[in-house]
Amino acid sequence: MLTYILRRLGLAALITILAVTLLFLIIHMIPGDPVSTMLGPKASPELRAALEARMGLDKPLPVQIGLFFANMLRGDLGMDVFTNRPVTTIVLGQIPYTLVLILSSILWSAVLGIALGCYSAVNRNSLGDRLAGVLSVSVIAVPAFVVSLYSLLIFAVKLQWFPAIGAGEPGAWGDQFHHLILPSLAIGLSWVGYIARLVRASMLEVMGEGHVRTARAFGLPERWITYRYALRLAILPTVTVIGVGMGFLLSAAVFTEIVFSRPGLGKLVIDSITTRNYPVVMGSVLFSTLIFVASTTLADIINAILDPRIRAGK
Amino acid sequence: MAVLDIRDLSVSYSTPRGSLRALRNVSMTVPEGKIVGIVGESGCGKSTLISSIIRLMAPNAQVGSGEVRFKGTDLLARSEAEMRALRGTEISMVFQDPMQTHNPVLTVGQQMVDIQYRDKKPKAEKLKRAAEMLALVGIPDPEARLNQYPFEFSGGMRQRIAIAMALMARPALLIADEPTTALDATLEVQIIKRLKELQDEIGCGVLFISHHLGVIAELCDEVVVMYAGEVVESGTVRDVFHNPAHPYTAALLDCDPGHIKVKTRVLPTIPGNIPDLVNLPKGCIFADRCDKRHKACDTRPALWTARAGHRAACHLIAEKETA
């Protein structure tokens, strides 16, 4: 198990390095440069050269990438072009909002989706199963920003059950939770349908396998067979999908944070891209990458805990 | 008294083409402590027969008529809960494919403890019992192997584990569905021998399904030959294998590579296919493929007695008697 985890972490590190290099190159190719953004069009060539030297932009590209990695390891992601605060501090200040939003969304939608999927698989082709199927497909089809807008309109403006904007007073847990509900609903809703469909399909597959027949032939209680014998196997693809789905969740969070004017990584990325605040863009995208790599790695490790065959590398 | 007594059992599947009559008026018995073999090619109704005995049938299956009497009571009349109480205690099963039989993510020990869930014993005792059973079926170092997962065992080992699990509760009836088909020949012999020894010790009745005639001859006391959902011949292994009364049995024996003494390029086959079970032929079910077909075969033959305890569904028997 330990070797598996170490191997998986090594792979994660490699993926991070590749992804960050790629990101660096992509941002380098975007037209417009940070120096003119900072100094304005009327800056003298001497001033420009001085700033370029200070930011390391006069060095060749490979050296720039190398320096970036070296600074990254020291936790230094450069300075915000406008406020001159460290990027690391800015991004770390925003990340908790996004993480709480994503994790709460995936948590409630996974619990509900798995329950619905199991119900559908056990009561296959019943009225409830068909209803769950239709509902699942409909919510999958609705994008998060549409749910955001309508839930904002209905629950915040018309009914006034929930606050419309912001993330709540810092430190006031109840208030923050209250602010979390609508955005979390918006991001999680389509995942309920997606996970329910996925769990239903893999449950039906597992329930038709030989070992389930054996368990039945030994008279094990049906509930036991469903949840201890079948679900444990049927959950594996769902764990992987959720791990990879972190990417989609992050991009859904971007829209949702904008609609609800919620602080977070998404809002930070959009704001810094529109103002060409390159160090902040780079920093926030870097952290999104880290979240994504961490979540896929975690999904793999959870799968290895659940399935001994993965641990053994079979 | 027979431990299992199937009387006049008919089972059909509803399909888009109509009712597929998989079993028609099947009668057979497994006497206490005896091993009865069922032989037949694919699609002859072997699997349907087994699943109707333990009542784990496909959702589209319907029992048309008949009784499955286990120790004198009809299983088909039991409630699902009563049926479940029998499974794994009084009636056990060993399945065909050992690679699919066990749950891949639970240890062998856990699965062997789980099936003892009815006993109110501490887990340590259940594990001890499981280790004893593994030792009985010839798995070395059983205590350590209980902590391993199914994928860490070979196919032969897994089938031994399946047998250990099936016999753990000392059932009155063991149903073995082609337990050695997926194994190679040397393993097959070992497992058959061990099964026979354990059966002797426990004294259970065994219903042994196989299409390997050599294994049936080696292991069984009696044999039932099935064809296209009907019993065409039944009797002791000696009678049926040495004096087959039904042309199908005779043809089947001729096709067994173990019986062929002369070197040949082409192995014998039975020409033709099994009849369509949705649109059954009027007369004898085997008539289309039979080399002894004659006029009488246009009507359905009854199960005639060829000699005491040896019966076959062929007109030739009756004709021989009257001639």
Side-chain angles (χ1 to χ4, degrees):
Chain A
M1 185 70 203
L2 193 67
T3 42
Y4 178 83
I5 293 178
L6 287 177
R7 216 170 53 215
R8 197 60 195 75
L9 286 178
L11 190 65
L14 193 74
I15 292 170
T16 312
I17 291 171
L18 280 174
V20 170
T21 312
L22 213 62
L23 269 174
F24 196 92
L25 292 176
I26 289 171
I27 288 184
H28 192 81
M29 282 188 290
I30 296 177
D33 70 301
V35 176
S36 22
T37 314
M38 284 173 85
L39 300 175
K42 288 179 187 153
S44 69
E46 293 79 34
L47 209 58
R48 292 180 60 97
L51 188 63
E52 271 180 8
R54 209 182 81 202
M55 292 180 74
L57 293 175
D58 54 342
K59 296 188 178 67
L61 195 60
V63 179
Q64 285 187 39
I65 295 178
L67 279 175
F68 183 80
F69 273 112
N71 289 334
M72 189 179 92
L73 287 178
R74 284 190 281 120
D76 175 13
L77 294 173
M79 293 296 179
D80 183 325
V81 179
F82 301 107
T83 61
N84 220 21
R85 284 165 59 214
V87 170
T88 317
T89 319
I90 296 176
V91 176
L92 283 179
Q94 299 297 309
I95 273 187
Y97 293 106
T98 304
L99 274 184
V100 165
L101 178 61
I102 292 176
L103 292 179
S104 67
S105 310
I106 204 64
L107 192 73
W108 78 264
S109 57
V111 169
L112 199 61
I114 290 169
L116 264 179
C118 284
Y119 171 84
S120 286
V122 172
N123 304 291
R124 186 184 187 178
N125 292 340
S126 66
L127 186 68
D129 173 30
R130 280 161 209 261
L131 212 64
V134 171
L135 275 176
S136 304
V137 175
S138 355
V139 296
I140 292 170
V142 185
F145 62 88
V146 174
V147 185
S148 307
L149 286 172
Y150 277 93
S151 60
L152 198 63
L153 214 62
I154 297 168
F155 297 110
V157 179
K158 271 257 157 70
L159 299 169
Q160 306 209 331
W161 288 353
F162 300 103
I165 56 166
E169 291 297 315
W173 298 110
D175 189 40
Q176 289 194 346
F177 181 73
H178 203 200
H179 278 82
L180 187 64
I181 290 174
L182 285 187
S184 183
L185 173 83
I187 295 179
L189 192 62
S190 59
W191 280 88
V192 176
Y194 195 35
I195 292 172
R197 293 273 87 187
L198 196 66
V199 168
R200 179 185 185 270
S202 44
M203 271 300 265
L204 284 178
E205 194 190 319
V206 174
M207 292 298 270
E209 281 172 10
H211 57 88
V212 169
R213 189 183 50 179
T214 309
R216 287 199 176 122
F218 279 104
L220 291 185
E222 195 61 29
R223 187 173 284 266
W224 207 350
I225 295 174
T226 308
Y227 297 105
R228 280 192 49 186
Y229 276 58
L231 184 58
R232 187 157 166 178
L233 275 164
I235 206 77
L236 297 173
T238 308
V239 172
T240 308
V241 163
I242 291 176
V244 177
M246 251 342 172
F248 297 98
L249 281 165
L250 277 165
S251 62
V254 173
F255 289 113
T256 313
E257 280 166 2
I258 291 164
V259 172
F260 288 93
S261 301
R262 231 184 110 82
L265 213 51
K267 207 163 168 315
L268 188 68
V269 175
I270 296 292
D271 289 348
S272 49
I273 285 179
T274 46
T275 54
R276 298 245 159 78
N277 198 341
Y278 291 109
V280 180
V281 175
M282 190 66 205
S284 26
V285 176
L286 173 74
F287 272 95
S288 311
T289 312
L290 287 180
I291 291 175
F292 181 72
V293 172
S295 70
T296 47
T297 307
L298 191 68
D300 280 356
I301 290 173
I302 291 175
N303 269 349
I305 292 169
L306 290 174
D307 189 344
R309 289 168 299 179
I310 299 175
R311 254 177 278 164
K314 294 236 169 181
Chain B
M1 187 185 64
V3 63
L4 182 73
D5 185 4
I6 297 174
R7 293 182 191 171
D8 207 28
L9 180 69
S10 296
V11 175
S12 58
Y13 294 103
S14 51
T15 69
R17 292 198 302 133
S19 174
L20 188 149
R21 302 177 60 205
L23 290 182
R24 294 176 309 281
N25 309 99
V26 169
S27 295
M28 58 166 298
T29 56
V30 178
E32 220 169 304
K34 288 273 196 275
I35 306 182
V36 176
I38 298 184
V39 200
E41 57 195 308
S42 310
C44 72
K46 291 174 294 190
S47 304
T48 306
L49 183 66
I50 304 166
S51 50
S52 357
I53 296 170
I54 55 165
R55 289 251 314 270
L56 287 174
M57 288 183 274
N60 63 340
Q62 292 123 17
V63 177
S65 67
E67 289 181 343
V68 177
R69 299 181 82 83
F70 173 74
K71 287 182 165 179
T73 62
D74 185 12
L75 295 183
L76 297 176
R78 285 183 162 235
S79 74
E80 178 55 31
E82 286 173 327
M83 207 49 226
R84 213 169 46 119
L86 277 187
R87 294 182 198 132
T89 56
E90 297 248 37
I91 304 177
S92 284
M93 280 204 68
V94 175
F95 291 99
Q96 179 172 1
D97 184 2
M99 308 308 268
Q100 295 262 329
T101 301
H102 304 101
N103 188 300
V105 297
L106 298 172
T107 60
V108 167
Q110 183 64 51
Q111 296 183 55
M112 292 185 81
V113 167
D114 280 354
I115 61 168
Q116 301 176 65
Y117 75 100
R118 298 176 181 96
D119 298 344
K120 298 276 167 279
K121 279 190 299 189
K123 193 179 173 187
E125 251 174 75
K126 291 182 179 176
L127 276 172
K128 205 171 141 237
R129 172 101 184 96
E132 284 166 16
M133 283 311 296
L134 288 189
L136 266 184
V137 292
I139 287 182
D141 197 13
E143 278 91 2
R145 304 222 72 176
L146 281 177
N147 292 322
Q148 290 188 307
Y149 293 92
F151 75 88
E152 295 172 275
F153 293 85
S154 67
M157 286 284 197
R158 289 196 216 183
Q159 201 57 301
R160 283 166 199 262
I161 295 170
I163 292 170
M165 285 169 78
L167 294 177
M168 189 147 62
R170 305 182 80 85
L173 174 67
L174 174 73
I175 302 172
D177 182 6
E178 308 199 23
T180 55
T181 304
L183 305 174
D184 57 54
T186 45
L187 272 175
E188 184 168 38
V189 175
Q190 283 177 23
I191 287 187
I192 295 295
K193 266 178 79 180
R194 188 54 64 111
L195 190 65
K196 179 105 178 163
E197 286 163 19
L198 289 169
Q199 184 264 342
D200 265 348
E201 193 200 313
I202 294 173
C204 58
V206 178
L207 187 60
F208 190 91
I209 289 93
S210 182
H211 51 237
H212 190 163
L213 298 169
V215 169
I216 298 266
E218 181 75 26
L219 183 70
C220 300
D221 302 302
E222 291 172 21
V223 60
V224 174
V225 182
M226 287 186 71
Y227 179 75
E230 289 178 11
V231 170
V232 292
E233 182 161 4
S234 67
T236 62
V237 166
R238 173 169 286 275
D239 283 344
V240 173
F241 279 26
H242 290 279
N243 288 304
H246 196 286
Y248 175 64
T249 314
L252 210 57
L253 288 168
D254 285 340
C255 292
D256 182 20
H259 271 68
I260 299 164
K261 300 279 187 284
V262 192
K263 197 171 171 184
T264 173
R265 280 189 163 277
V266 187
L267 289 171
T269 54
I270 307 175
N273 289 306
I274 53 168
D276 181 6
L277 297 184
V278 177
N279 302 304
L280 287 164
K282 274 220 158 56
C284 169
I285 194 84
F286 186 59
D288 275 353
R289 301 169 77 180
C290 186
D291 56 359
K292 297 188 176 64
R293 180 175 189 165
H294 57 293
K295 206 152 170 277
C297 300
D298 292 339
T299 59
R300 184 153 295 227
L303 259 183
W304 301 96
T305 303
R307 57 186 72 79
H310 183 189
R311 310 202 298 165
C314 182
H315 290 297
L316 290 173
I317 299 166
E319 284 156 16
K320 208 188 287 174
E321 269 171 19
T322 50

